[in-house]
């Protein structure tokens, strides 16, 4: 699987997986950030991003794509903190009647767009809002392998998450 077009995609959310929200008993950690990287208008939550995620993400055998409401801002503010290059970004479609129906049915608003973007390629979706409904829908509508991996937003991506992602990504197609 050396051809980049055949490598699995990893759709990565920011809020929750990379920016943990903590819990009252266990507040989120913060990390020092070079003020030049933050800029005057940057989100103060960026100090919650552990720069150690960058090398771990880069070591995964996949093509990483931002799948976040941060959209292009993920390349401006998040990628530099992680030492990652500019990554592809999912452009979310405008809301529609289908989205309203999906919401009533419990389907996450990102699910259809990510399955469409994968276009049959194997993919992993890392998010903190995934449910069984999303997994079932993806299994029924995506012809390739897919792993919809929910991250605990109180702690963000952790060792066990990386182990699960790496193991899945290294499985033969």
């Amino acid at each position: 699987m050396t051809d980049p077009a055949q490598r699995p995609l990893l759709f990565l959310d920011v809020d929750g997986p990379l920016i943990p929200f903590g819990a009252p008993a266990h507040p989120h950690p913060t990390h020092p950030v070079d003020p030049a990287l933050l800029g005057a208008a940057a989100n103060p939550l960026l100090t919650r991003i552990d720069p150690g995620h960058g090398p771990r993400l880069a070591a995964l055998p996949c093509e990483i794509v931002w799948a976040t409401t941060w959209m292009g801002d993920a390349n401006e503010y998040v990628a530099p903190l992680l030492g990652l290059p500019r990554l592809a970004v999912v452009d979310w479609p405008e809301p529609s009647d289908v989205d309203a129906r999906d919401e009533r049915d419990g389907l996450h608003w990102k699910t259809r767009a990510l399955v469409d973007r994968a276009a049959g390629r194997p993919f992993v979706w890392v998010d903190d809002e995934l449910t069984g409904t999303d997994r079932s829908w993806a299994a029924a509508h995506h012809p390739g392998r897919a792993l919809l991996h929910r991250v605990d937003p109180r702690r963000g991506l952790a060792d066990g998450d990386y182990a699960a992602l790496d193991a899945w990504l290294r499985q033969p197609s």
Side-chain angles (χ1 to χ4, degrees):
M1 286 204 322
T2 58
D3 179 4
Q6 299 305 312
R7 292 175 60 195
L9 297 165
L10 188 150
F11 295 120
L12 182 60
D13 186 27
V14 171
D15 295 315
L18 295 176
I19 298 178
F21 297 113
H26 305 287
H28 57 80
T30 58
H31 305 274
V33 175
D34 179 349
L37 288 177
L38 286 178
N43 189 319
L45 297 178
L46 291 172
T47 61
R48 296 183 187 183
I49 294 177
D50 180 351
H53 287 305
R56 294 184 86 174
L57 289 165
L60 294 171
C62 61
E63 177 186 341
I64 302 170
V65 178
W66 294 120
T68 174
T69 56
W70 284 70
M71 299 188 59
D73 285 347
N75 279 322
E76 299 302 318
Y77 298 106
V78 180
L81 294 176
L82 298 173
L84 294 175
R86 294 183 71 80
L87 303 172
V89 177
V90 174
D91 290 321
W92 304 113
E94 290 297 317
S96 69
D97 292 340
V98 172
D99 296 317
R101 184 188 72 225
D102 286 348
E103 184 178 353
R104 286 190 304 273
D105 293 341
L107 189 67
H108 195 285
W109 63 269
K110 294 180 183 178
T111 307
R112 283 181 188 271
L114 295 180
V115 168
D116 287 348
R117 174 73 182 258
R121 280 174 68 181
F123 76 90
V124 174
W125 174 16
V126 177
D127 206 306
D128 61 310
E129 297 179 342
L130 293 165
T131 68
T133 301
D134 302 301
R135 289 182 185 92
S136 296
W137 196 93
H141 294 88
H142 181 68
R145 294 174 53 233
L147 172 65
L148 281 64
H149 185 83
R150 185 183 180 282
V151 172
D152 182 344
R154 296 171 296 178
R155 62 176 168 74
L157 278 164
D159 291 343
D161 298 308
Y162 281 107
L165 297 174
D166 190 63
W168 189 90
L169 288 164
R170 293 187 188 281
Q171 290 175 5
S173 293

